[in-house]
């Protein structure tokens, strides 16, 4: 019997579209979106962590907020995201995480090339290693994760989205792994996660050509799960992501955690081993209070009140 590595998972926390509670580690503006300034901001504003309330309680929104650099991935942004994920992993109130941009028209333009140009060659590999580790941390969060692409997602930006469980894109969004244009390759998981999403041959074609595709093309090839027409506010993908999150919220937290673990681990092994992983994960749900609550709620014809226990 394969026992699921329980240390891999642990998470939970909350934001409200109208009312925002601030995570003590991360300053959050009350405005969910604002026009970007061309001037650099304080580094602590590079990432906004917002906890939703009301009907969206349990949803956490990670908002990329480097308008002056088109949300390019810097050392500070990596540090802030790593810190945020560490917090989310152990917060049992978190049910779904949405990754979005606070900057209109852009999700993430990839690595911060201005910062990269100032790095000594010996600094580059450790930086890319940290970026790869961050994407792995995002992928292993024990709750559903949704990337909302309302603008361009290039290089490391698309790799960040690929580390999420589900990608939602506006039809006008542009995305691609364009690293070969710079005589390098995707280094934060792109060479591994893109083939798993669209197939080996198409992934090679996209990486070899450094081609970008729009949201509709991405949907056709299986790169994104949903494509939506952009709205006047420029946040159509985020709104769709929020609608999906609402569908996830009523489900049993332990069941969601185990379902994600079974799928993620099962996809990397043969079917027989995958079924053993499923069996082990199912076994984790049997002794839970939530399972009994689900049966009782069904009997009493009422919505279940799950606590993640």
């Amino acid at each position: 019997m394969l026992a699921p590595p329980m240390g891999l998972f642990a998470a939970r926390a909350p934001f409200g579209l109208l009312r925002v509670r601030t995570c003590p580690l991360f300053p959050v503006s009350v405005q969910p979106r604002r026009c970007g300034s061309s001037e650099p901001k304080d580094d602590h504003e590079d990432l906004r962590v917002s906890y939703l309330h009301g009907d969206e309680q349990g949803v956490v929104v990670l908002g990329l907020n480097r308008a002056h650099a088109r949300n390019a991935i810097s050392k500070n942004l990596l540090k802030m995201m790593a810190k945020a994920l560490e917090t989310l992993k152990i917060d049992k109130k978190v049910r779904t995480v949405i990754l979005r941009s606070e900057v209109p028209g852009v999700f993430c333009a990839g690595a911060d090339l201005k910062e990269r140009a100032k790095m000594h060659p010996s600094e580059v590999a450790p930086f890319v290693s940290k970026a790869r580790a961050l994407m792995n941390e995002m992928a292993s969060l024990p709750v559903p994760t949704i990337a909302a692409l309302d603008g361009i997602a290039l290089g490391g930006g698309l790799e960040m989205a690929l580390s999420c469980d589900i990608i939602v894109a506006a039809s006008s969004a542009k995305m691609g792994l364009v690293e070969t244009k710079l005589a390098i390759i995707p280094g934060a998981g792109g060479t591994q996660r893109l083939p798993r999403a669209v197939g080996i041959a198409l992934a090679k074609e996209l990486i070899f050509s450094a081609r970008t595709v729009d949201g509709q093309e991405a949907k056709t090839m299986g790169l994104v799960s949903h494509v939506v027409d952009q709205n006047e506010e420029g946040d159509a993908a985020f709104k769709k992501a929020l609608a999906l999150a609402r569908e996830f919220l009523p489900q049993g937290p332990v069941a969601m955690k185990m379902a994600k673990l079974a799928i993620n681990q099962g996809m990397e092994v043969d079917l027989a081993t995958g079924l053993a992983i499923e069996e082990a994960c199912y076994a984790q749900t049997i002794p839970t209070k939530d399972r009994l609550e689900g049966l009782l709620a069904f009997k009493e014809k009422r919505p279940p009140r799950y606590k993640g226990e």
Side-chain angles (χ1 to χ4, degrees):
M1 176 71 68
L2 291 177
M6 299 305 290
L8 179 64
F9 274 173
R12 252 102 317 165
F15 164 125
L17 220 45
L18 299 179
R19 296 179 296 151
V20 178
R21 177 169 68 81
T22 307
C23 171
L25 293 177
F26 306 98
V28 179
S29 170
V30 175
Q31 294 84 8
R33 193 175 185 84
R34 65 181 179 84
C35 293
S37 167
S38 60
E39 296 299 318
K41 306 174 300 300
D42 292 339
D43 283 349
H44 73 269
E45 295 183 5
D46 286 356
L47 181 71
R48 292 178 176 175
V49 180
S50 306
Y51 293 77
L52 304 194
H53 290 296
D55 292 340
E56 290 88 30
Q57 184 164 345
V59 178
V60 178
V61 180
L62 301 180
L64 305 177
N65 189 44
R66 300 190 73 220
H68 64 285
R70 299 200 305 169
N71 288 340
I73 302 170
S74 63
K75 292 179 180 178
N76 184 65
L77 183 57
L78 278 184
K79 181 180 178 181
M80 291 196 70
M81 289 195 68
K83 194 174 183 180
L85 295 182
E86 278 299 309
T87 300
L88 296 179
K89 274 199 309 186
I90 59 175
D91 190 335
K92 294 185 177 181
K93 295 180 181 178
V94 178
R95 301 295 177 84
T96 299
V97 174
I98 298 175
L99 178 62
R100 68 168 302 194
S101 169
E102 298 281 339
V103 181
V106 59
F107 176 74
C108 174
D112 189 331
L113 297 182
K114 290 183 179 180
E115 183 181 79
R116 180 75 60 86
K118 298 175 184 178
M119 289 183 187
H120 188 274
S122 63
E123 296 180 274
V124 176
F127 175 82
V128 175
S129 181
K130 287 181 181 179
R132 188 182 305 114
L134 177 73
M135 308 311 171
N136 290 340
E137 283 296 311
M138 176 67 78
S140 65
L141 277 180
V143 295
T145 54
I146 308 170
L149 309 188
D150 277 305
I152 62 168
L154 303 178
L158 181 54
E159 289 178 302
M160 195 180 295
L162 283 165
S163 70
C164 294
D165 298 315
I166 298 166
I167 303 177
V168 179
S171 56
S172 58
K174 298 289 185 180
M175 63 202 80
L177 296 180
V178 297
E179 287 86 348
T180 52
K181 283 186 177 181
L182 297 173
I184 57 175
I185 70 170
T191 65
Q192 303 306 304
R193 292 192 174 96
L194 185 62
R196 284 165 167 78
V198 304
I200 295 173
L202 184 52
K204 287 179 177 178
E205 180 181 331
L206 292 173
I207 291 174
F208 293 166
S209 64
R211 184 187 308 155
T212 60
V213 298
D214 63 26
Q216 190 58 60
E217 292 173 297
K219 175 66 169 65
T220 300
M221 62 180 61
L223 177 53
V224 307
S225 299
H226 299 273
V227 61
V228 291
D229 291 332
Q230 190 55 279
N231 57 27
E232 291 184 4
E233 294 77 20
D235 64 354
F238 172 65
K239 287 183 176 176
K240 176 61 178 179
L242 197 55
L244 287 173
R246 291 192 198 102
E247 290 188 54
F248 301 161
L249 288 175
Q251 321 314 330
V254 177
M256 298 290 275
K257 174 180 175 179
M258 288 297 106
K260 178 171 177 174
L261 183 61
I263 294 169
N264 284 357
Q265 292 197 349
M267 290 301 96
E268 304 302 322
V269 298
D270 62 86
L271 179 60
T273 305
L275 291 173
I277 291 171
E278 178 185 81
E279 182 180 4
C281 289
Y282 190 101
Q284 297 293 329
T285 68
I286 294 174
T288 64
K289 294 178 181 179
D290 280 351
R291 188 182 73 87
L292 298 178
E293 164 63 15
L295 293 173
L296 183 61
F298 177 79
K299 180 180 179 181
E300 296 177 351
K301 296 182 173 55
R302 60 169 175 81
R305 295 183 288 270
Y306 295 129
K307 298 180 179 179
E309 301 174 353

